[in-house]
Amino acid sequence: MLKKLRLKMIVTCLGITATILAIVCIISFCIFNTHYKNETTATLENQLTNLVLTLQQQKTISHTYLSQLQATHNTLIYIEDHGTPLLFQNQLESTTMQQQLFDQAKEIALTTYNFNFSPFYLNSLELSTLSFRFNGVNHKDYLAALALFPTETGQCQVILLKDLETTHIYIFYMKLLFIGLALVGTLLLVIFSFWFVSIALKPIKQNQQRQAEFIAAASHELRAPLTVIESGLTSLESHEMDAHHASHFIGLMQNECTRMKRLISDLLTLARSDAHQWHMQFSEVEIDSLLIDLYDSFYCLCTKKGLTLSLQLPDELLPRITCDGDRIKQALTILLDNALSYVPAGNSITLSTSMTSKALEIQVIDTGIGISKTDQEHIFDRFYQGDRSRHEKNHYGLGLNIAMEIIQLHHGKLSLTDTPGGGCTFTISLPY
């Protein structure tokens, strides 16, 4: 299922981003193409303007100047003063081909744009210019810039033709560049899509794995008490026994039912937490009173097991903490119950509290055998039990996870450290 979801997300992510990239590249190229063509036209029109100004200000014009203009800007130049063409040889095309191109430009200007080169068409005070693109008789694209202006002897015609082949080649290579950028971008998007989808699906994959492990562990833990109950019922049905033996089997089944009830209760608690249906009832709580109640509840149990339970409160009055008192008490009960179950007789358990600048800390300190560094990394995982050779039947490895959930819902922190000299220290940090 995750493989199909992963593939679908990759295709969707890649499709959307690649489409956006393609649209951006196409729009960028169109903008560049338009800008470059406009810039080419503007450059030729500026050349025409400068040439016209030169012709208006000077009675003669140097062939050297025209040759430099032609060579520098790759243009064909035609100048006619009062019907007399300037005898200037363009080096870019043959004389016959040049004349055909100039005549074609004049014809297009007249028929398409009504730009007339006829004598006395122009008023003595007017200057008329025109620029356009056309396909020449030699099947090349040209940009034409034409000017018609009055002189002392009549009128002067100026035509500049620019071969656009170089421009087309440049635009073609730019098109290849944009396509290359789009392809490289698409390749990078493919890599990014795989990485992004893998990161996005990682929590889902981890949750799915945890869910599978959770179900497997819960099934295993439920199977044990059911097996005992089934064996007890079979013994009761298949053997005639006195009341003492029957009471023994009934007691075993009752204990297993109690264990199952506790396990199911813990499972429901975690399920509500996962579904975000675990609502906290916040109020101002006196932590010192809560700790005293816990001390009174566990004192006799610890004494019965040969453990010393002590309570350490600071001399100053503890501030009220806004929290769910019952849930905090539940978390502390889990920590004390674990200590009561795993700490050997003759050792001690200490319940203490202290204040820092930002939080109130509650510690459950024991002097037992402690927990290995390897087990400490997983001690808050569901169904994790470090030393299965010594764990009690009443513990399924869910308590510490529930305690962690409770503290996190209070925006606090639950941590585990080693007790100096041996043992474990669980610390609950609750913000003011």
Side-chain angles (χ1 to χ4, degrees):
M1 180 179 177
L2 278 180
K3 289 183 178 180
K4 291 183 178 180
L5 178 60
R6 184 169 180 265
L7 180 60
K8 185 179 294 185
M9 289 182 66
I10 289 175
V11 171
T12 303
C13 179
L14 181 60
I16 294 174
T17 52
T19 301
I20 294 174
L21 177 62
I23 293 173
V24 170
C25 288
I26 291 172
I27 293 175
S28 300
F29 176 75
C30 291
I31 293 174
F32 161 78
N33 189 27
T34 302
H35 175 75
Y36 187 74
K37 288 181 178 180
N38 292 338
E39 185 178 3
T40 302
T41 302
T43 301
L44 189 64
E45 290 175 346
N46 288 334
Q47 295 170 20
L48 178 65
T49 301
N50 293 333
L51 181 56
V52 168
L53 289 175
T54 302
L55 291 171
Q56 288 177 332
Q57 294 172 2
Q58 301 178 12
K59 294 183 178 181
T60 61
I61 189 167
S62 169
H63 280 222
T64 303
Y65 169 76
L66 295 176
S67 298
Q68 290 178 348
L69 182 62
Q70 167 198 279
T72 303
H73 301 287
N74 192 26
T75 56
L76 296 174
I77 303 174
Y78 176 82
I79 302 174
E80 182 180 308
D81 187 8
H82 197 58
T84 303
L86 177 65
L87 298 177
F88 170 70
Q89 178 61 45
N90 288 282
Q91 302 297 325
L92 303 177
E93 298 283 357
S94 66
T95 304
T96 304
M97 183 60 69
Q98 291 175 29
Q99 193 59 47
Q100 290 177 349
L101 290 171
F102 290 133
D103 292 341
Q104 184 181 4
K106 287 182 179 181
E107 183 181 356
I108 294 175
L110 177 62
T111 58
T112 305
Y113 301 98
N114 197 27
F115 192 86
N116 198 340
F117 281 95
S118 300
F120 310 109
Y121 172 75
L122 191 67
N123 184 281
S124 60
L125 298 178
E126 290 181 346
L127 168 65
S128 182
T129 60
L130 174 67
S131 61
F132 57 87
R133 295 171 186 265
F134 71 99
N135 186 263
V137 292
N138 56 354
H139 305 294
K140 291 183 178 180
D141 288 332
Y142 287 89
L143 175 62
L146 297 78
L148 188 61
F149 58 95
T151 63
E152 294 178 357
T153 58
Q155 64 180 15
C156 184
Q157 304 174 11
V158 180
I159 302 176
L160 297 183
L161 299 181
K162 181 176 179 60
D163 188 350
L164 296 177
E165 182 178 2
T166 304
T167 302
H168 291 331
I169 293 174
Y170 180 72
I171 291 176
F172 173 74
Y173 281 115
M174 291 302 298
K175 183 185 295 183
L176 292 181
L177 176 62
F178 275 91
I179 293 174
L181 290 175
L183 292 177
V184 172
T186 302
L187 178 61
L188 293 176
L189 286 174
V190 171
I191 298 173
F192 170 78
S193 297
F194 274 94
W195 173 81
F196 177 76
V197 171
S198 298
I199 295 298
L201 289 180
K202 188 175 181 180
I204 299 177
K205 187 176 181 180
Q206 291 175 345
N207 287 336
Q208 191 179 49
Q209 183 178 357
R210 284 199 297 265
Q211 185 180 23
E213 293 173 352
F214 181 81
I215 293 173
S219 301
H220 173 76
E221 296 294 346
L222 285 171
R223 187 182 298 114
L226 286 175
T227 301
V228 174
I229 293 173
E230 184 180 17
S231 299
L233 290 174
T234 302
S235 299
L236 289 175
E237 291 177 352
S238 59
H239 299 285
E240 293 184 1
M241 57 185 67
D242 54 24
H244 175 73
H245 287 88
S247 177
H248 171 71
F249 283 108
I250 292 173
L252 288 177
M253 289 187 287
Q254 286 177 340
N255 290 336
E256 295 304 320
C257 287
T258 302
R259 291 183 61 229
M260 286 180 62
K261 182 179 179 180
R262 180 174 180 176
L263 173 59
I264 292 172
S265 177
D266 289 345
L267 291 175
L268 290 175
T269 298
L270 292 174
R272 284 194 295 269
S273 175
D274 292 340
H276 304 288
Q277 297 177 350
W278 204 356
H279 300 294
M280 298 287 107
Q281 301 294 329
F282 289 97
S283 61
E284 289 190 353
V285 177
E286 295 180 354
I287 295 298
D288 47 2
S289 299
L290 187 148
L291 295 178
I292 292 172
D293 291 341
L294 280 172
Y295 174 79
D296 292 339
S297 300
F298 278 88
Y299 180 79
C300 293
L301 295 174
C302 290
T303 303
K304 189 175 181 180
K305 196 173 179 180
L307 298 172
T308 302
L309 178 64
S310 59
L311 175 63
Q312 296 180 355
L313 297 176
D315 294 335
E316 64 273 16
L317 185 66
L318 292 175
R320 288 174 174 264
I321 300 296
T322 301
C323 62
D324 187 328
D326 292 336
R327 293 301 182 185
I328 296 298
K329 190 173 184 179
Q330 181 183 1
L332 287 169
T333 299
I334 291 171
L335 299 180
L336 288 170
D337 185 60
N338 276 359
L340 185 65
S341 300
Y342 295 123
V343 176
N347 290 279
S348 64
I349 301 173
T350 302
L351 184 61
S352 71
T353 183
S354 60
M355 290 183 296
T356 65
S357 59
K358 295 182 179 181
L360 183 144
E361 293 186 348
I362 305 172
Q363 291 184 322
V364 177
I365 309 168
D366 68 66
T367 58
I369 59 176
I371 300 175
S372 67
K373 294 296 183 182
T374 302
D375 290 336
Q376 286 184 18
E377 296 178 359
H378 305 281
I379 198 66
F380 294 105
D381 295 346
R382 296 179 183 182
F383 288 109
Y384 185 83
Q385 294 172 307
D387 188 355
R388 291 185 176 273
S389 63
R390 67 181 180 87
H391 81 273
E392 291 193 0
K393 283 188 173 183
N394 289 331
H395 291 269
Y396 297 97
L398 296 177
L400 291 178
N401 186 264
I402 293 175
M404 175 67 78
E405 295 282 349
I406 292 173
I407 301 305
Q408 287 179 347
L409 287 173
H410 284 80
H411 306 289
K413 182 179 179 182
L414 174 60
S415 59
L416 168 64
T417 56
D418 293 328
T419 302
C424 299
T425 299
F426 287 91
T427 302
I428 294 176
S429 180
L430 296 174
Y432 288 143

